[in-house]
Amino acid sequence: MIRLLFVVLLALLPILPTPEFWITLGNYIGLYAIVALGLVLLTGVGGMTSFGQAAFVGLGAYATAYLTTHFGWSPWIGLLAGLAITAAAAFALGAITMRLSGHYLPLGTIAWGLSLFFLFGNLEFLGKYDGLNGIPPVDFFGLTLQSGRAMFYLIWAVVIVAVVALQNLLNSRSGRAIRALNGSGLMAEAMGVNTTWMKIVCFVIAALLACISGWLYAHMQRAVNPTPFGLNAGIEYLFMAVVGGAGYVWGALLGSALLTILKDQLQSLLPKLLGSNGNFEMIVFGLMMVLLLQRARTGLWPVLRGWLPQQVGVQAPATAAALPRRDRPAVGSVALQVRLARKEFGGLVAVNDMEFVVHAGEILGLIGPNGAGKSTMFNLVTGVLPLTSGQILFQGERIDTLPSREIVRRGIGRTFQHVRLLPTMSVLENVAIGAHLRGSAGVAASILRTDRKEEQRLLFDAARQLDRVGLAHLAQEEAGSLALGQQRILEIARALCCDPTLLLLDEPAAGLRYQEKLALADLLRTLKAEGLSILLVEHDMDFVMNLTDRLVVMEFGTRIAEGLPSEVQNNPAVLEAYLGGID
């Protein structure tokens, strides 16, 4: 209802006797919001800070300005040309920049943003710093959009389409992968997500939105010059996204409206108060940003949203076609074989020529004292770390040269020693990330909602796995609100969504109460009966001894014992190194 009222208000605003000043201000808010929406996807959701979006606005503006003024082409051809140029430039820049991390990433965006800004100002055919004039208005089905009131509808139609498109994208298989980029890249790769590609996709989408804003700006102003496309403008766009709520689509509109109106009022008020002219509003913005980061780090939209009626989150259907499942290997056959696996970190040998085998339909325990190299061994098997020497084979295929996302595609699912979840996403959506590799719909299908059938199947399977592990009643809760033990069980459900034939569990019973451990043991026995192989790291010896078929014991990266639990329990070397006096 609120969204409908918003659209109705936008439709009536140019018809009502609204002062021209407010129509113009509304146009600029819409133009800024389009760019800020791209930053919500790139920075707020994807976690990649960019100060250079204004340069992409310039690419869209200059492309249409040059083609329409020098060759007389239609503005719509100018839009297509601008999108093509921007996509090519963003892909090339993104392939380089998005590989950076930490402070290098924003510094990289500043560098190419400044480069494009000075390029606009130094190219003769673009008019250098004088720019290009005489840009024709947009012709829309025979209607010439010459006035600001006429452009208002086109600008805000683009804003609404962009909002709907981003919401569709974020509530999809691709959207969950994008949300996993922000601090959970390791987990995303382990679930089959090509994180490098998804970062580039986010970068290109954000750049294309900025390009469209530039195209609209050029045909509204009928002239362009480099001034609006510099670093200051890029910082302002980022301010808008952060102030409104960088992780929220509607936050982009809120931030754009708030800062645009505030900037206009401050430009009129501050010179009267201070007695001189200057960009004093930037000082106020800086103080606002400091205060905001102290009081409302997620922006103003989450605060405002708390006063609005809450919407139901993503839900699984009551029924859907089952996802295809991979064949399980014959029970007793070799599932995983580790041959002389060695991992060195400089002069430290973390894993020293380890050898062991996991059979299909078997629960194998990997135990040892803290620092024995168990988690490192897990990371070697799943491709998180490369081997220094040796081999790892899964169902006869060597996998130690493959990245994590390819290893999970072959049927190895895992959990983590330190829980890796997306805390603000629902439990259901967290589990559905595990089904990422079982879908095929891309970003375009997500935006256009042509992936609905596949999405229903993915969510249905996620709900089924939640029911198997006993968390179905928490499907709509935020994952971060769960107790540690429940989060570990959630990770198992997510790993099961990968449809693995080998499941690697890193301390799954840590943080569980006694009854929860019994339920987990029953679940693992059920999975074993279904033909699933399980490699288990755990420090709870009662849990391990009563569950596993065989044990491998590590100390200082070396295998010191292997055999049945009863044999290992009485092994003198094991007793001395680890078990200490278990009866």
Side-chain angles (χ1 to χ4, degrees):
M1 180 59 71
I2 295 175
R3 295 177 184 178
L4 180 60
L5 291 174
F6 176 72
V7 173
V8 171
L9 178 62
L10 287 177
L12 292 177
L13 203 59
I15 299 174
L16 298 173
T18 309
E20 197 67 31
F21 169 78
W22 288 102
I23 295 295
T24 301
L25 202 62
N27 285 338
Y28 278 105
I29 290 171
L31 293 174
Y32 299 153
I34 296 170
V35 185
L37 283 167
L39 284 170
V40 164
L41 179 68
L42 181 65
T43 302
V45 179
M48 296 163 282
T49 303
S50 173
F51 290 96
Q53 297 307 105
F56 291 128
V57 178
L59 281 179
Y62 270 102
T64 191
Y66 181 75
L67 293 176
T68 54
T69 57
H70 282 69
F71 300 102
W73 290 3
S74 164
W76 297 103
I77 296 178
L79 173 61
L80 295 177
L83 290 172
I85 293 169
T86 302
F91 184 84
L93 290 170
I96 301 171
T97 311
M98 292 301 105
R99 296 179 184 274
L100 303 176
S101 60
H103 59 276
Y104 297 105
L105 175 57
L107 286 175
T109 64
I110 290 173
W112 57 252
L114 287 173
S115 298
L116 287 176
F117 169 73
F118 285 112
L119 188 67
F120 297 146
N122 285 280
L123 290 177
E124 187 73 41
F125 72 95
L126 294 182
K128 293 192 172 183
Y129 286 97
D130 293 329
L132 299 173
N133 300 303
I135 301 172
V138 175
D139 186 80
F140 190 73
F141 292 105
L143 178 66
T144 302
L145 307 181
Q146 296 193 40
S147 67
R149 289 180 182 269
M151 284 295 292
F152 184 92
Y153 284 117
L154 179 59
I155 290 171
W156 280 97
V158 172
V159 172
I160 292 170
V161 169
V163 167
V164 173
L166 283 188
Q167 288 182 325
N168 289 346
L169 173 60
L170 293 176
N171 292 324
S172 70
R173 167 182 176 268
S174 297
R176 289 187 291 273
I178 291 170
R179 284 186 276 180
L181 297 177
N182 193 356
S184 297
L186 178 63
M187 178 274 289
E189 284 279 338
M191 298 300 117
V193 178
N194 187 336
T195 55
T196 300
W197 173 249
M198 293 309 300
K199 287 179 180 180
I200 295 174
V201 167
C202 289
F203 190 71
V204 171
I205 292 174
L208 292 178
L209 287 172
C211 168
I212 294 172
S213 177
W215 177 78
L216 290 167
Y217 170 83
H219 292 287
M220 183 182 76
Q221 289 289 98
R222 308 283 188 84
V224 295
N225 64 69
T227 304
F229 313 127
L231 181 59
N232 286 344
I235 294 173
E236 286 187 22
Y237 288 132
L238 192 58
F239 269 23
M240 291 174 186
V242 172
V243 168
Y248 303 88
V249 171
W250 289 96
L253 277 65
L254 176 62
S256 300
L258 182 63
L259 263 69
T260 303
I261 295 172
L262 186 61
K263 181 179 179 180
D264 176 77
Q265 296 301 310
L266 289 174
Q267 285 176 337
S268 301
L269 179 62
L270 290 178
K272 296 178 182 178
L273 294 176
L274 300 175
S276 60
N277 293 320
N279 294 328
F280 298 113
E281 70 276 3
M282 295 305 295
I283 300 174
V284 176
F285 285 167
L287 294 174
M288 281 179 53
M289 184 63 67
V290 172
L291 182 63
L292 182 73
L293 292 176
Q294 288 182 335
R295 301 293 182 181
R297 294 190 178 187
T298 56
L300 297 177
W301 176 253
V303 178
L304 180 61
R305 190 178 63 166
W307 301 339
L308 302 175
Q310 296 300 306
Q311 292 184 321
V312 178
V314 174
Q315 292 184 303
T319 183
L323 292 170
R325 298 187 61 187
R326 68 178 88 244
D327 294 332
R328 299 283 170 83
V331 174
S333 61
V334 175
L336 179 73
Q337 186 173 15
V338 178
R339 296 177 177 172
L340 297 174
R342 186 178 185 86
K343 180 60 183 176
E344 299 176 359
F345 296 99
L348 174 66
V349 179
V351 175
N352 185 16
D353 297 339
M354 276 291 294
E355 286 193 306
F356 63 88
V357 171
V358 181
H359 298 103
E362 174 187 47
I363 300 179
L364 177 69
L366 187 61
I367 66 173
N370 289 328
K374 305 181 298 299
S375 293
T376 301
M377 191 68 248
F378 262 40
N379 288 333
L380 293 173
V381 172
T382 55
V384 175
L385 295 173
L387 280 173
T388 302
S389 63
Q391 294 182 343
I392 299 176
L393 290 83
F394 179 63
Q395 295 181 359
E397 178 188 2
R398 188 171 177 182
I399 61 171
D400 53 85
T401 58
L402 300 176
S404 294
R405 62 180 177 274
E406 293 301 326
I407 291 175
V408 69
R409 286 185 180 278
R410 282 156 175 75
I412 300 181
R414 71 165 297 178
T415 65
F416 295 88
Q417 181 182 17
H418 303 290
V419 174
R420 295 179 182 270
L421 301 173
L422 300 178
T424 60
M425 278 175 54
S426 71
V427 168
L428 177 66
E429 291 178 289
N430 267 275
V431 174
I433 292 174
H436 179 86
L437 57 87
R438 302 172 71 188
S440 59
V443 171
S446 299
I447 291 174
L448 298 174
R449 292 181 67 88
T450 59
D451 65 337
R452 292 302 94 186
K453 287 186 178 180
E454 180 183 277
E455 182 68 8
Q456 294 296 301
R457 297 174 73 188
L458 298 178
L459 292 174
F460 179 74
D461 193 75
R464 186 174 71 89
Q465 302 302 342
L466 275 176
D467 186 58
R468 293 183 77 185
V469 302
L471 295 180
H473 62 292
L474 298 174
Q476 295 303 314
E477 300 294 325
E478 286 190 351
S481 68
L482 270 58
L484 176 60
Q486 292 174 320
Q487 291 181 356
R488 290 193 178 279
I489 299 299
L490 190 159
E491 279 207 330
I492 295 176
R494 185 181 65 197
L496 291 175
C497 249
C498 299
D499 187 30
T501 58
L502 172 62
L503 184 61
L504 276 62
L505 303 178
D506 202 342
E507 299 188 29
L512 298 186
R513 295 186 291 268
Y514 178 72
Q515 291 298 327
E516 292 172 331
K517 289 181 181 180
L518 293 180
L520 174 60
D522 288 340
L523 171 64
L524 298 183
R525 291 188 185 100
T526 300
L527 295 175
K528 170 191 169 183
E530 295 174 0
L532 190 68
S533 310
I534 299 173
L535 178 59
L536 174 74
V537 166
E538 184 54 63
H539 286 290
D540 188 325
M541 286 299 101
D542 287 335
F543 183 81
V544 169
M545 293 296 175
N546 293 318
L547 177 66
T548 57
D549 298 304
R550 290 187 304 116
L551 289 173
V552 173
V553 186
M554 294 181 67
E555 184 186 22
F556 299 121
T558 303
R559 184 187 66 180
I560 62 171
E562 180 177 354
L564 300 175
S566 58
E567 296 172 349
V568 170
Q569 189 174 357
N570 297 304
N571 187 302
V574 176
L575 290 172
E576 181 182 351
Y578 183 39
L579 295 182
I582 287 183
D583 295 325

